[in-house]
């Protein structure tokens, strides 16, 4: 059995929802469908979730929400009319939205979640009605009835462990009877309050259900054919997709802002070893990208290159640092005390660099740490330089091959790009290079040419 999740663009209007129906009914193994709230239909459009957040915020600010309510209702009325669905569906949208907006606020984040979650709830009810209308038995399942129990960290909730068993018990028989449409993004606390995952959290719902039901695959439908080996916003000429990668490769690549869904979001599927298949609602015949526990690798083959600007280096130098036990530990504890996480610590004999995300290393913490390093660690030199970009070259195939690093270094030096930092993880499936931000695009293009263009 397959669990399929459709993102906001896949359910943004009547035409998109009909594509979902065709995809699901085209394969009898697709029994459980997780949907997001309707997303953008065009670039300047608004996501329903954003409209709902705005609505809830206005109530919290004591402002009038009549226009916002009308806009949400209109969005669903358009879908209803285009698909000739029962008017009761839109009546429910109006009534439920009003009911929740009128409820006593109590916990503000909890109130926000109760409104925010409605996009998914309505979306799933509408989708179930479309299946039924077209003659395919389908049912909407409420996360409360199914046992989707979450922590009460509103807006950032986590699944409670006992949910897996509850979900399996409830959903297995239902999936045997009909197609199940399940709203993504939210569940309920033990006290019965609505709680949502972080934004984009329908991916998490899909992964949880795929794990609970031990699905043969978790199909995640978006609006692109497959995962690109390098960011197409930086290298527009990229025209090949990744057909298969391992969980570890996905993790390494998504670390520096690679355009896959958030790796943490799919952790439940990874833990249960359910393969993930990224596919395109608008081009369902494309096999997409498979993300699997292990795969056959070609020696030396790079699977993807992630690029990310926004880093900085705190450089610390002290003569005979190598003889001073605990120097780096004391340095890092200063970061911990300021609540700043570091990314990497490349070290030499008399020097060490702490690589941080620049946006997290801001004043006044920055000056405070620099002053402490000078005073308490008696460093000879302490400087901070922002503007560093990280390039991650990833591939399981690099583990068994000599010379992958040389190829990257040759390509970058051949493009006259200075490598400021290099690091290879112990797993040997990724190499990290630091270059100046203003040379990142040139570096990405050159590496794409070197590692991917010749494969076409
Ligand atoms: N609708 C929610 C959001 O926009 C969740 C999701 O689409 O995954 O963040």
């Amino acid at each position: 059995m397959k669990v399929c999740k459709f993102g906001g663009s896949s359910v943004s209007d009547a035409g998109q929802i009909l594509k979902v129906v065709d995809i699901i009914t085209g394969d009898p193994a697709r029994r459980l469908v997780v949907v997001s709230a309707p997303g953008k239909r065009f670039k300047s459009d608004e996501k329903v979730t954003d409209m709902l957040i705005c609505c809830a915020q206005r109530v919290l600010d004591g402002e009038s929400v009549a226009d916002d309510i009308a806009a949400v209702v209109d969005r669903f009325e358009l879908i209803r009319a285009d698909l000739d669905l029962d008017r009761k569906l839109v009546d429910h949208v109006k009534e439920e939205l009003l009911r929740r907006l009128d409820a006593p606020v109590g916990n503000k984040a909890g109130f926000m979640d109760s409104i925010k979650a409605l996009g998914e709830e309505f979306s799933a009810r509408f989708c179930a009605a479309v299946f039924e209308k077209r003659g395919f038995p389908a049912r909407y399942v409420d996360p409360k009835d199914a046992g989707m129990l979450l922590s009460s960290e509103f807006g950032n909730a986590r699944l409670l462990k006992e949910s897996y068993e509850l979900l399996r018990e409830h959903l297995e028989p239902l999936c045997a009877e009909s197609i199940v449409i399940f709203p993504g993004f939210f569940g309920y606390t033990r006290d019965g309050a609505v709680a949502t995952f972080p934004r984009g959290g329908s991916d998490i719902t899909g992964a949880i259900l795929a794990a609970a039901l031990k699905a043969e695959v978790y199909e995640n439908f978006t609006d692109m054919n497959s995962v690109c080996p390098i960011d197409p916003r930086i290298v527009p000429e990229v025209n090949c997709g990744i057909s298969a990668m391992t969980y570890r490769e996905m993790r390494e690549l998504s670390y520096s802002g690679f355009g896959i869904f958030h790796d943490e979001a799919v952790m439940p599927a990874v833990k249960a070893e359910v393969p993930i298949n990224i596919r395109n609602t608008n081009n369902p015949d494309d096999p997409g990208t498979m993300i699997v526990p292990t795969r056959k690798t070609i020696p030396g083959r790079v699977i993807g290159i992630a690029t990310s600007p926004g880093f900085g280096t705190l450089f610390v130098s002290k003569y005979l640092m190598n003889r001073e036990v605990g120097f780096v530990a004391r340095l890092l504890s200063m970061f911990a005390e300021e609540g700043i996480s570091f990314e990497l610590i490349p070290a030499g004999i008399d020097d060490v660099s702490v690589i941080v995300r620049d946006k997290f290393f801001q004043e006044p913490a920055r000056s405070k740490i620099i002053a402490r390093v000078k005073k308490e660690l008696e460093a000879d030199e302490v400087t901070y330089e922002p503007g560093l970009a990280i390039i991650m070259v990833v591939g399981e195939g690099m583990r068994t091959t000599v010379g992958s690093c040389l190829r990257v270094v040759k390509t970058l030096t051949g493009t006259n790009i200075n490598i400021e930092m290099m690091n290879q993880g112990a797993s040997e499936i990724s190499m990290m290079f630091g270059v100046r931000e203003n040379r990142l695009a040139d570096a990405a293009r050159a590496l794409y040419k070197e590692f991917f263009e010749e494969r076409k």
Side-chain angles (χ1 to χ4, degrees), residues 15 45 86 88 103 135 173 181 217 244 251 325 363 391 418 420 429:
D45 198 14
D86 196 326
K88 280 193 193 132
I181 317 289
V217 63
R251 166 85 182 111
V325 177
E363 297 298 357
I391 299 172
N418 181 39
E420 294 193 9
I429 73 158

Side-chain angles (χ1 to χ4, degrees), residues 5 36-37 47 49 120 185 199-203:
K5 180 254 162 178
S36 284
K47 290 177 166 193
T49 308
E120 269 70 14
F185 193 38
R199 291 300 303 268
S202 298
D203 278 344

